[in-house]
Amino acid sequence: MALSAGLLFLPFFVQGQELPPEQPQGRFLRQTVRVGEIVSYELTFRHDPKLEVVFPDSTAAFKPFEYVGKTFQPTLTRRGRSFDRTVYRLRTFSLDSVQRLSLPVMILRGHDTLTVNTSAASIRLVRTAPVPEVIPPTTPVLKQNTTLLPVDEAFNYPFWLAGLGIAVLVSAGLWFGFGSYWRRRYQLYKLRKNHAYFLAQYARHIERFELSRSLTNMERAITLWKNYLTTLENNTINSLTTREIVAYYQNDVSVSRALRITDRLIYGNQFNEDDTETGTAFDLLRDFADRRYTLLSGAARS
């Protein structure tokens, strides 16, 4: 009697409890696949409607397959059981003859997660390339060819551009570091060269004057002196009159006396063969040019 009562209330007891989930099922919808060909893998799971089930997404491990995409259908519940189904589109590049795949299904229970794996489903790889015959390994015969082949010369643009850049940087460093020094050296060199040329030409004009006693040679010597001072002073001295030149040099005694003598001889027509003041005038002008050169070259050195 008690046993009959217990069996009578057993369905009500079972209905109030959570039914255990079934094993998820995974299978390939085809039996064979080629390398790189897309194949469908179906994952299904029947479970209690109260369970929260999560199927794998694209981040799951599908090795040796690669994930391409998936399609799924909404959960279908009938007679107290829910049914989930997802079809994954996969492809493989593995050369194994038989390839297997097992995907996990996660069941969420509060703060805990239960992972249930499917049984491994297998698929057979169909090879499209002929299998080479196994040939006993032999040592290959090497053919020697030492004939040189012509190779076109190529301009090494990166190398030369790098060299040019380094040269520019070095030149810029030298210019900014030693530019003022070298400019002073060059300026002194020009002053020294011009002064030596002036002295040589000036002496030649004086020699010609002494041989010919011609006022034309004297006038050429004075013109040479004025042109030299124009270059040395960087001024228009050769276009000034005698009075303006004397004033420019602050009434220098040597300049005043020498130019007064030469003006009297050239423009006053007071020259005679026995005149000894011409030598004095030439000496005074040469000495004054030496003093101006010494003064300006010393200023360029400092």
Side-chain angles (χ1 to χ4, degrees):
M1 188 69 177
L3 179 60
S4 299
L7 293 175
L8 181 61
F9 289 101
L10 181 60
F12 298 97
F13 177 77
V14 172
Q15 185 177 1
Q17 297 295 323
E18 182 180 290
L19 297 177
E22 298 180 5
Q23 184 77 13
Q25 302 296 322
R27 67 187 183 93
F28 290 101
L29 300 184
R30 291 168 48 189
Q31 296 180 354
T32 60
V33 67
R34 291 182 174 86
V35 173
E37 185 180 19
I38 296 178
V39 64
S40 297
Y41 175 87
E42 181 187 59
L43 178 62
T44 59
F45 189 32
R46 297 182 183 273
H47 58 87
D48 192 285
K50 298 179 181 179
L51 296 180
E52 187 174 356
V53 178
V54 178
F55 274 28
D57 58 6
S58 60
T59 61
F62 293 92
K63 292 182 179 180
F65 298 90
E66 293 183 359
Y67 176 84
V68 178
K70 69 176 181 178
T71 58
F72 63 92
Q73 65 183 27
T75 302
L76 180 64
T77 303
R78 289 182 179 178
R79 298 179 182 179
R81 302 295 284 177
S82 293
F83 179 76
D84 289 308
R85 178 178 180 271
T86 300
V87 177
Y88 296 91
R89 289 182 291 115
L90 310 174
R91 63 185 173 189
T92 180
F93 293 95
S94 175
L95 298 180
D96 295 337
S97 299
V98 178
Q99 301 181 24
R100 295 176 174 83
L101 177 64
S102 175
L103 294 181
V105 174
M106 292 182 292
I107 302 174
L108 305 181
R109 292 180 173 177
H111 297 289
D112 296 331
T113 301
L114 175 63
T115 302
V116 183
N117 289 316
T118 62
S119 299
S122 61
I123 192 170
R124 185 169 55 86
L125 181 69
V126 177
R127 301 179 183 272
T128 57
V131 179
E133 298 180 0
V134 179
I135 302 175
T138 58
T139 303
V141 179
L142 301 180
K143 294 182 179 180
Q144 184 177 2
N145 185 1
T146 58
T147 304
L148 298 179
L149 298 178
V151 178
D152 296 335
E153 294 185 359
F155 188 77
N156 194 341
Y157 288 99
F159 176 80
W160 285 103
L161 288 177
L164 180 61
I166 294 174
V168 170
L169 291 177
V170 172
S171 300
L174 292 175
W175 175 259
F176 288 107
F178 303 96
S180 58
Y181 170 78
W182 289 110
R183 284 194 296 271
R184 286 198 308 270
R185 296 284 298 180
Y186 180 69
Q187 185 177 3
L188 291 173
Y189 166 76
K190 286 189 1 180
L191 289 175
R192 184 170 59 251
K193 182 178 179 181
N194 291 339
H195 188 67
Y197 178 80
F198 161 73
L199 292 178
Q201 294 297 319
Y202 190 73
R204 185 175 302 172
H205 285 309
I206 294 175
E207 182 180 1
R208 290 176 180 175
F209 170 76
E210 291 177 350
L211 292 176
S212 64
R213 308 301 290 180
S214 171
L215 293 178
T216 301
N217 290 326
M218 175 185 289
E219 188 174 1
R220 289 176 179 174
I222 303 303
T223 302
L224 176 66
W225 178 84
K226 290 181 180 180
N227 290 336
Y228 171 69
L229 288 181
T230 297
T231 304
L232 183 65
E233 304 280 358
N234 194 20
N235 204 335
T236 57
I237 296 175
N238 54 0
S239 64
L240 301 179
T241 63
T242 299
R243 181 177 299 178
E244 291 173 340
I245 294 175
V246 172
Y248 178 81
Y249 288 114
Q250 300 177 355
N251 297 318
D252 185 88
V253 177
S254 300
V255 175
S256 177
R257 181 182 177 188
L259 293 181
R260 189 174 64 251
I261 295 173
T262 56
D263 285 350
R264 177 173 55 84
L265 296 177
I266 297 174
Y267 303 110
N269 197 18
Q270 299 180 13
F271 175 73
N272 57 68
E273 297 294 335
D274 298 329
D275 193 351
T276 59
E277 288 185 322
T278 55
T280 302
F282 287 138
D283 292 340
L284 291 174
L285 293 178
R286 184 182 57 247
D287 293 343
F288 179 78
D290 284 337
R291 283 190 283 120
R292 296 303 296 178
Y293 164 74
T294 302
L295 178 64
L296 295 177
S297 61
R301 290 190 181 93
S302 60

